[in-house]
Amino acid sequence: MWASRAAESRDTGGPRRHLDWRGLLTVTGALAALLDRAQRGAPRGEMAFLVLLCAALLGAVVHAERRAPHPLVGFALFRNGLYVALTLTGAVANTAAVMFLFVVPQSLQDRWGCSAMAAGAAFLPAALAMAVGGPLAGRVATRDAAPAMAACLGAGALGLSGLALAPSFPVYLTVATCCGAALGFGNALTLVATQGVIRPERAGEASGVTKTVITVAAGLGVALAGVGAGAAADTALLVTAAGCAAACAALLGWRVRHGPDLGGRGRCHLR
């Protein structure tokens, strides 16, 4: 019902486009095979080969799509440097959120000795804090989305590090709740930020690419991390925290370079 009230994204200025079934099936097949194999726990060497194979297949898709009369995605989209940077940063944020959802409930049982039911109850505040982030992120103006996203990534880096180093159970739960709020808010800001640098008639295409990238990145990140219990889980959290810190620094660096208009409508539009 709410979706029906949203403005439709449609390019009315150009010729009618037809669905590129060849591109759609090729991309979907390559990504599905990769993610399915990753979730089944393929050996590291095999996973590396599959990643390279997927990259080669996607390269072939790019070559073919350049010649397609109605490509699945217009490659001019990737000439928008700010859109690409925000999408990649969003991939880090989404990977951190998924890692958080995967590791914390497991650690509540393995590290802190909770039963499955007790772990679920203990994780509920963090889960609710993460869920509230989505609606709140939708209220952020597009020009403020990227700076807010950088702040959330920084807070997420501190929170994930705090989870790995928490000295007591109450501290762990408090940090988890704060970290869930930061990651939920920052992850939801990805689409807000990327939509702020894209012309409205390309919004649907751009959001589809962004969601695909961040979803695949999260799936591969968790699968390749091979998260286990105890020290392995803490190591995964610390590595993820480092990724969040790097993404935060990249966004802040871009803001310093391009000024406070980062994320605002104007010169960064895809033409």
Side-chain angles (χ1 to χ4, degrees), residues 32-47:
L34 178 65
L35 290 175
D36 176 72
R37 199 65 187 126
Q39 291 176 353
R40 290 175 183 272
R44 295 289 178 86
E46 184 177 340
M47 274 305 307

Side-chain angles (χ1 to χ4, degrees), residues 32-152:
L34 178 65
L35 290 175
D36 176 72
R37 199 65 187 126
Q39 291 176 353
R40 290 175 183 272
R44 295 289 178 86
E46 184 177 340
M47 274 305 307
F49 171 75
L50 287 172
V51 170
L52 293 175
L53 178 61
C54 183
L57 288 173
L58 292 178
V61 171
V62 169
H63 179 73
E65 290 295 283
R66 287 184 180 277
R67 302 183 178 184
H70 304 286
L72 187 65
V73 177
F75 288 101
L77 181 68
F78 302 106
R79 291 199 293 269
N80 186 331
L82 183 51
Y83 166 80
V84 173
L86 289 171
T87 295
L88 294 178
T89 304
V92 175
N94 193 48
T95 301
V98 173
M99 189 72 73
F100 174 84
L101 290 170
F102 186 81
V103 171
V104 173
Q106 180 176 301
S107 294
L108 287 171
Q109 298 176 70
D110 296 334
R111 178 178 173 185
W112 300 107
C114 295
S115 65
M117 183 173 293
F123 186 65
L124 188 58
L128 290 175
M130 179 175 277
V132 168
L136 291 179
R139 297 177 178 271
V140 176
T142 53
R143 67 173 292 110
D144 300 325
M149 191 174 172
C152 289

Side-chain angles (χ1 to χ4, degrees), residues 7-270:
E8 185 177 3
S9 169
R10 183 182 294 274
D11 187 358
T12 58
R16 179 169 178 168
R17 297 178 64 182
H18 301 276
L19 184 60
D20 179 18
W21 286 103
R22 182 176 62 177
L24 176 64
L25 293 175
T26 304
V27 171
T28 302
L31 295 179
L34 178 65
L35 290 175
D36 176 72
R37 199 65 187 126
Q39 291 176 353
R40 290 175 183 272
R44 295 289 178 86
E46 184 177 340
M47 274 305 307
F49 171 75
L50 287 172
V51 170
L52 293 175
L53 178 61
C54 183
L57 288 173
L58 292 178
V61 171
V62 169
H63 179 73
E65 290 295 283
R66 287 184 180 277
R67 302 183 178 184
H70 304 286
L72 187 65
V73 177
F75 288 101
L77 181 68
F78 302 106
R79 291 199 293 269
N80 186 331
L82 183 51
Y83 166 80
V84 173
L86 289 171
T87 295
L88 294 178
T89 304
V92 175
N94 193 48
T95 301
V98 173
M99 189 72 73
F100 174 84
L101 290 170
F102 186 81
V103 171
V104 173
Q106 180 176 301
S107 294
L108 287 171
Q109 298 176 70
D110 296 334
R111 178 178 173 185
W112 300 107
C114 295
S115 65
M117 183 173 293
F123 186 65
L124 188 58
L128 290 175
M130 179 175 277
V132 168
L136 291 179
R139 297 177 178 271
V140 176
T142 53
R143 67 173 292 110
D144 300 325
M149 191 174 172
C152 289
L153 284 165
L158 292 175
L160 292 169
S161 300
L163 289 172
L165 304 173
S168 66
F169 188 62
V171 171
Y172 188 88
L173 292 183
T174 302
V175 173
T177 301
C178 295
C179 187
L183 293 177
F185 191 71
N187 187 33
L189 282 170
T190 300
L191 290 179
V192 178
T194 52
Q195 293 297 289
V197 297
I198 295 294
R199 292 172 59 191
E201 59 267 28
R202 307 297 296 276
E205 177 186 23
S207 65
V209 171
T210 299
K211 284 297 292 182
T212 299
V213 170
I214 66 177
T215 302
V216 171
L220 285 178
V222 173
L224 292 175
V227 181
D234 290 342
T235 300
L237 289 176
L238 291 173
V239 171
T240 306
C244 287
C248 173
L251 274 182
L252 292 177
W254 195 300
R255 180 175 172 79
V256 170
R257 180 180 178 183
H258 292 274
D261 191 48
L262 176 63
R265 291 195 175 275
R267 58 191 171 90
C268 293
H269 274 191
L270 175 63

